[in-house]
Amino acid sequence: MYAKSPEEFNVKWNEFRQCYLVEDITFYTYMFDYYYPRRGKWSKAWREVCNIIKATIFISFFHLILQS
């Protein structure tokens, strides 16, 4: 779930909840029990270093290409 801010995340989570409570409550329950409490670890809304990690991976990959 891509969100740049906690407010945007909450809006998207509510949309997700409304959709999957009707379509597949088992999947929603799993996400709510295991992923929602740890949302700060997997959603960009709470991670500030995401761009640094992307840049580091890109540089490492580029360096690997140059070495070969």
Side-chain angles (χ1 to χ4, degrees):
M1 181 175 309
Y2 181 78
K4 292 182 180 180
S5 68
E7 294 80 19
E8 184 181 359
F9 178 87
N10 289 334
V11 169
K12 290 188 177 190
W13 181 264
N14 287 332
E15 291 171 0
F16 170 81
R17 184 183 64 190
Q18 289 173 356
C19 178
Y20 281 97
L21 276 176
V22 174
E23 292 182 18
D24 190 358
I25 194 163
T26 306
F27 178 64
Y28 173 76
T29 304
Y30 176 81
M31 291 293 290
F32 185 74
D33 289 344
Y34 295 102
Y35 282 84
Y36 187 75
R38 296 175 183 90
R39 61 193 174 272
K41 295 184 186 250
W42 58 266
S43 177
K44 186 181 178 189
W46 286 275
R47 295 187 326 193
E48 297 293 327
V49 294
C50 187
N51 291 333
I52 296 170
I53 293 170
K54 286 180 184 177
T56 304
I57 292 171
F58 176 77
I59 292 169
S60 297
F61 182 72
F62 184 71
H63 188 259
L64 182 66
I65 292 172
L66 290 176
Q67 287 179 338
S68 59

